Amino acid sequence: MTSRGDRRLAGARRIVLKIGSALIVDESTGHPRQQWLDALADDIARLRQGGAQVIVVSSGAVRLGRARLGLARGALRLEQKQASAAVGQIGLAHAWQETLARHDIVVAQILLTLEDSEQRERYLNARQTMTTLLAQGAVPVINENDTVATAEIRFGDNDRLAARVAEMVSADTLVLFSDIDGLYDSDPRRNPGAAFIPEVRKITPQIEAMAGAATSELSNGGMVTKLIAARIAMAAGCRMAIVDGGRLNPLTALLDGRARCTWFLPSAKPDAARKRWIGGTLKPAGSLVVDDGAARALAAGKSLLPAGVVAIKGAFEAGAAVLVCDRKGNTLARGLVAYGADDARRIAGRRSADIETVLGWRGREELIHRDDLAME
């Protein structure tokens, strides 16, 4: 019989998978673990056949690159790590392209830094790129941009990167592959009597106390960073699973009821959590005044187009949070605007088809996409 966790995975519609270096790269040879990678690609194909969109957050570039550069084992200096990433990212992307091509799946490579998730315009651009790729049937393969990231701006580990990506794209499910099948109340490698925790609905101090440290030099993570990722994902309305990735076809094993995992379950769904974040936690930097027709369109769940805007108030950059008001000054919604204030003033009242002529470059059709709007 299929477990509840398996049903959750089977019912997922937008999934982010995080794979660490130790799973991707054979430590003894410095080459990709091709058999494991092919088996996971088969799992991804099965999820897609079930109607799910899949994003992969994949480590491994630094480990692949250091082997090809002949760098010794042990800690790398920042410049060595950046050089290794520059070499290894080519091989990593090729490995993913090759294995998913067996299922006629198109692969796209995206490299991110922490600033891409925190600077509003870059956040919107990254989100738009990923959602467009998913709509076209591609599998985005994402890694931290270690060739330019520094200690001050880097994510620090791909568990948190994966959670940020899940937040960006409003994923409903995040799967973190680990060397253990979930969360225990103590380290089961040291305590044979450790109790398995199948489900977590709130990350309490007691849950945090169960976390341990990283056990491999190939990973910056450990249960500590997985709990941090869980907190980010749950706040975004995304459920998260910690799964033992060491076996072949780990997702098929879950789907078929032959494996278990720990699920972290949020109180809200992704769309609701994102709307709540936009509506309640972002300070507006300005406002857009709309006509009656645009107000009716917003109430019907439509995006805000330039044609319906009659005035722009304030000074703001693209990606900023703004209020949307009617002519009487009533606040109708809050949203993330796709254009800065100066450009928004130039295209206000114009048809979307005229944007390129007015600005001299082709931007988005909407001033605020409906996914980036929270109605009052």
Side-chain angles (χ1 to χ4, degrees), residues 11-12 17 63 91 94 117 132 134 146 148 162 166 200 229 238 265 291 352 360:
L17 306 176
R63 183 66 185 99
H94 177 73
S117 73
T132 299
L134 291 172
D146 286 311
V148 299
V200 175
C238 177
L265 303 175
D291 60 25
S352 296

Side-chain angles (χ1 to χ4, degrees), residues 260-279:
R260 66 182 182 180
C261 66
T262 296
W263 282 101
F264 294 79
L265 303 175
S267 58
K269 293 183 178 180
D271 288 345
R274 178 173 171 78
K275 299 287 187 180
R276 186 173 60 203
W277 169 67
I278 293 173

Side-chain angles (χ1 to χ4, degrees), residues 14-17 44 47-48 52-56 134 138-140:
R14 181 169 287 178
I15 306 170
V16 177
L17 306 176
I44 291 172
L47 290 173
R48 285 165 51 91
Q53 297 175 323
V54 179
I55 293 175
V56 175
L134 291 172
V139 170

Side-chain angles (χ1 to χ4, degrees), residues 32-374:
R33 298 177 60 221
Q34 200 62 50
Q35 184 182 13
W36 184 89
L37 197 58
D38 288 346
L40 183 64
D42 295 344
D43 286 353
I44 291 172
R46 176 175 174 177
L47 290 173
R48 285 165 51 91
Q49 288 169 358
Q53 297 175 323
V54 179
I55 293 175
V56 175
V57 176
S58 174
S59 300
V62 172
R63 183 66 185 99
L64 288 172
R66 72 184 294 171
R68 295 190 180 186
L69 290 174
L71 296 174
R73 290 170 57 89
L76 296 176
R77 298 193 304 274
L78 177 61
E79 62 271 21
Q80 290 178 316
K81 188 171 186 178
Q82 291 172 328
S84 296
V87 172
Q89 192 60 46
I90 296 173
L92 183 65
H94 177 73
W96 279 108
Q97 183 181 48
E98 189 174 60
T99 190
L100 287 171
R102 297 179 302 112
H103 299 280
D104 294 322
I105 296 174
V106 175
V107 173
Q109 175 184 266
I110 300 176
L111 300 178
L112 298 176
T113 66
L114 180 59
E115 289 183 338
D116 295 319
S117 73
E118 295 188 341
Q119 205 277 336
R120 292 289 172 218
E121 184 173 8
R122 289 162 67 171
Y123 173 99
L124 287 178
N125 287 338
R127 172 183 167 87
Q128 187 66 31
T129 297
M130 287 186 278
T131 55
T132 299
L133 287 167
L134 291 172
Q136 295 300 315
V139 170
V141 175
I142 298 168
N143 197 0
E144 185 167 9
N145 193 352
D146 286 311
T147 59
V148 299
T150 68
E152 288 75 23
I153 66 172
R154 69 187 308 276
F155 282 96
D157 63 85
N158 275 359
D159 291 333
R160 279 179 280 194
L161 172 58
R164 291 284 193 174
V165 168
E167 177 186 57
M168 276 185 179
V169 300
S170 299
D172 56 46
T173 306
L174 168 62
V175 176
L176 303 184
F177 290 112
S178 180
D179 57 357
I180 195 170
D181 60 358
L183 179 67
Y184 288 77
D185 64 356
S186 60
D187 190 340
R189 288 161 292 205
R190 299 180 180 178
N191 177 17
F196 178 74
I197 312 296
E199 187 176 290
V200 175
R201 292 186 177 270
K202 184 178 182 181
I203 299 178
T204 64
Q206 291 75 19
I207 293 294
E208 290 177 333
M210 298 175 187
T215 58
S216 171
E217 72 168 44
L218 299 181
S219 171
N220 291 321
M223 198 57 68
V224 172
T225 60
K226 287 174 174 55
L227 292 186
I228 293 172
R231 190 182 296 278
I232 296 170
M234 292 169 72
C238 177
R239 60 196 169 198
M240 190 191 93
I242 297 175
V243 176
D244 184 354
R247 68 193 301 166
L248 295 179
N249 301 103
L251 297 178
T252 291
L254 283 175
L255 290 167
D256 293 346
R258 294 181 285 108
R260 66 182 182 180
C261 66
T262 296
W263 282 101
F264 294 79
L265 303 175
S267 58
K269 293 183 178 180
D271 288 345
R274 178 173 171 78
K275 299 287 187 180
R276 186 173 60 203
W277 169 67
I278 293 173
T281 62
L282 298 178
K283 182 179 179 180
S287 61
L288 311 181
V289 181
V290 302
D291 60 25
D292 293 342
R296 289 192 294 271
L298 293 176
K302 305 293 185 180
S303 298
L304 177 60
L305 302 178
V309 177
V310 296
I312 309 290
K313 297 181 180 180
F316 49 83
E317 301 294 330
V322 297
L323 299 176
V324 181
C325 306
D326 63 18
R327 294 177 185 271
K328 297 179 181 180
N330 300 311
T331 299
L332 304 177
R334 295 171 185 247
L336 304 181
V337 65
Y339 294 86
D342 292 342
D343 287 336
R345 288 188 177 94
R346 295 174 65 189
I347 62 176
R350 301 272 196 152
R351 297 181 307 150
S352 296
D354 297 332
I355 291 176
E356 185 173 8
T357 300
V358 174
L359 298 182
W361 49 277
R362 184 173 182 177
R364 293 176 185 160
E365 295 183 356
E366 311 90 0
L367 264 175
I368 305 179
H369 191 277
R370 62 184 181 183
D371 290 345
D372 296 322
L373 271 169

